[in-house]
Amino acid sequence: MTTTPALDMERLRADFAVFEELVGGRPIAYLDSASSTQKPRQVLDRMRHFYEHEYANVHRGVYRLSERATEAYEGARSTVAAFLNAPSEREVIFTRNATEAINLVAYAWGLDNLGPGDVVVITELEHHANFVPWQYVASRTGASFRHIPIDDLGELQLDALEALARVGRVKVVATGLVSNALGTVNPVEKLAAWAHEQGAIMVVDAAQAAPHRAVDVQALGCDFLALSSHKLCGPTGVGALWGRRELLESMAPFNLGGEMISSVSLEQTTFNELPHKFEAGTPAIAEAVGFGAAIDYVQAVGLEAIELHEHALTVYAMERLAELDWVRVFGPPASRRTGIVSFDIEGVHPHDVAQILDWDGVAVRAGHHCAQPLMTRLGVVATTRASFYLYSIQEEVDRLIDGLHKVKQSLG
Ligand SMILES: Cc1ncc(COP(=O)(O)O)c(C=O)c1O
């Protein structure tokens, strides 16, 4: 039997300069990593080195500096491919973020493959990034737009699938692997199997999963998978789409212009091979290199250790919140969620909660978390959300609880 060693928090937190800054004598209690994560020096150093010593535009130059830049950029693509266990790095497309990756599929696959009688299935838990593009493309093409409902714990009700299959030809099933608002881990393997039985493609939004647990596109059995660098200790401005090669090859391009062409004449344009067909224009080169460095960093820390660490914090946070009978916690038990805890204090708007917590340097997110259909289902307009990452510590949860007592005293 092997055991995963606990994270060395002192050493890890020293990688993040943000914790050296003090708010009221203490470091920020950053509990908003589901929104975006802090960046370690290793990632920033890699980007700085790239800009100072390896920078030029990619793919075009025959001079050495451009070749080095191309090598670094394409090296980052290999890193993403290996991280996702993709069969080929040519199936990895760099995008601006997870949102753009999903839009790419919705437009480039959806517009040509959906029509009246077809059904697009999403979930009631979905982030708007994996909801709105499908709703829009369904309405553009005349396809039906349906959802898998959730139960009161925020978990998908798979017994609704049978009825969904009767609505028409299910052509797309799009779901998040982990809910950004509740932390629910969705049964994507099961859904992928069902999608394929229906003849549908399976699109997975892994923006909230890939930073926290091992994601294997082959084990999931999906057809497309999206993620963002900035939720994974990497820079903003870059993300990735993995797609099955035969699907990507069959699809029309998404953006058009330089880089994505094979040849252009006044009469016609032919398109480049994968992955370049989907990467029009100068990409976010240094950001892609930083994305690769972030994956290296997270893998060096160890995804299994990160998952265990976040789980322990989630169990602790849920126990501490359960002591407060004026706080309502949403979502499933800690064993079926990641490091995300959403809650509500009756009679107090989440924005006020977050504001008061900020006075003591506790940063949480308050709002609808880009999941308005879910908020409607929960019967709230917003929640307060604390979310953890590899650098989060128990003391920050204690500060959150102390802050909530202050909220209760001032407003409750
Ligand atoms: C589950 C989920 N999907 C998609 C996104 C969109 O990510 P991005 O804003 O990086 O495109 C987010 C961001 O919060 C998310 O949590």
Side-chain angles (χ1 to χ4, degrees):
M1 210 175 110
T2 55
T3 50
T4 308
L7 300 181
D8 178 346
M9 294 316 291
E10 210 172 308
R11 198 173 58 90
L12 256 182
R13 282 170 68 89
D15 292 336
F16 295 82
V18 68
F19 298 125
E20 286 163 18
E21 273 168 45
L22 302 184
V23 188
R26 289 187 294 185
I28 182 172
Y30 186 73
L31 298 177
D32 195 21
S33 291
S35 182
S36 200
T37 57
Q38 297 298 330
K39 319 302 172 199
R41 290 176 217 277
Q42 289 84 339
V43 169
L44 304 175
D45 289 349
R46 178 67 190 100
M47 290 177 74
R48 185 178 185 94
H49 180 86
F50 177 75
Y51 269 130
E52 288 181 344
H53 303 287
E54 296 169 88
Y55 182 75
N57 210 331
V58 287
H59 301 137
R60 297 173 197 166
V62 286
Y63 52 90
R64 269 166 293 175
L65 194 57
S66 173
E67 281 168 5
R68 276 170 65 188
T70 303
E71 230 169 79
Y73 179 71
E74 291 302 328
R77 194 190 307 280
S78 308
T79 303
V80 176
F83 184 57
L84 301 176
N85 194 28
S88 161
E89 57 199 53
R90 292 176 59 188
E91 297 174 331
V92 172
I93 318 286
F94 281 123
T95 58
R96 272 192 307 139
N97 45 36
T99 303
E100 191 179 62
I102 296 164
N103 272 274
L104 192 164
V105 184
Y107 275 87
W109 189 88
L111 285 182
D112 283 340
N113 288 282
L114 292 173
D118 294 336
V119 186
V120 174
V121 176
I122 50 84
T123 80
E124 205 170 13
L125 275 173
E126 237 33 59
H127 187 283
H128 295 164
N130 200 29
F131 186 108
V132 182
W134 293 114
Q135 187 179 46
Y136 178 73
V137 168
S139 86
R140 284 262 309 256
T141 56
S144 308
F145 179 70
R146 299 299 170 108
H147 70 270
I148 305 172
I150 52 167
D151 61 21
D152 292 340
L153 285 180
E155 295 182 290
L156 296 180
Q157 291 188 296
L158 296 189
D159 48 9
L161 294 180
E162 241 176 75
L164 287 169
R166 286 196 294 271
V167 174
R169 289 181 301 271
V170 179
K171 292 287 268 303
V172 178
V173 179
T175 178
L177 183 45
V178 167
S179 151
N180 67 305
L182 300 181
T184 316
V185 182
N186 291 323
V188 163
E189 291 94 334
K190 271 191 198 157
L191 286 170
W194 180 77
H196 291 148
E197 271 166 38
Q198 312 304 308
I201 59 162
M202 180 73 208
V203 181
V204 177
D205 171 3
Q208 213 58 251
H212 307 278
R213 44 179 45 220
V215 167
D216 177 332
V217 292
Q218 299 187 59
L220 288 174
C222 57
D223 298 295
F224 293 99
L225 183 135
L227 69 159
S228 274
S229 147
H230 71 94
K231 292 188 195 287
L232 198 154
C233 287
T236 52
V238 70
L241 172 72
W242 169 80
R244 248 182 234 288
R245 187 182 192 141
E246 58 277 18
L247 286 169
L248 289 171
E249 274 172 352
S250 73
M251 281 154 57
F254 175 48
N255 290 316
L256 298 105
E259 293 269 343
M260 54 75 66
I261 55 92
S262 170
S263 76
V264 178
S265 72
L266 288 174
E267 290 72 34
Q268 72 156 5
T269 293
T270 57
F271 305 126
N272 207 337
E273 56 189 22
L274 293 177
H276 311 296
K277 175 172 126 183
F278 290 106
E279 292 183 7
T282 300
I285 309 169
E287 287 78 2
V289 172
F291 187 9
I295 290 175
D296 288 342
Y297 180 82
V298 164
Q299 286 189 313
V301 175
L303 277 165
E304 211 179 313
I306 293 171
E307 202 180 331
L308 286 175
H309 175 72
E310 291 177 4
H311 177 69
L313 282 175
T314 307
V315 169
Y316 181 67
M318 289 178 74
E319 279 171 7
R320 297 279 339 253
L321 285 166
E323 292 163 10
L324 315 178
D325 59 8
W326 32 274
V327 170
R328 176 180 166 207
V329 177
F330 300 101
S335 58
R336 300 202 296 277
R337 69 161 79 196
T338 59
I340 291 175
V341 186
S342 259
F343 55 90
D344 184 43
I345 300 180
E346 211 186 309
V348 186
H349 195 283
H351 284 162
D352 295 331
V353 178
Q355 184 86 61
I356 293 178
L357 290 174
D358 180 56
W359 293 343
D360 288 329
V362 177
V364 294
R365 175 71 34 151
H368 54 62
H369 315 295
C370 297
Q372 283 184 330
L374 171 63
M375 296 295 119
T376 304
R377 170 65 175 80
L378 298 176
V380 293
V381 284
T383 72
T384 306
R385 180 188 71 186
S387 54
F388 311 123
Y389 203 24
L390 51 92
Y391 41 69
S392 306
I393 49 176
Q394 192 165 311
E395 186 197 314
E396 293 169 335
V397 176
D398 293 332
R399 285 172 62 188
L400 167 70
I401 301 293
D402 291 348
L404 293 179
H405 281 290
K406 278 196 191 164
V407 172
K408 178 72 177 157
Q409 276 155 21
S410 352
L411 299 174

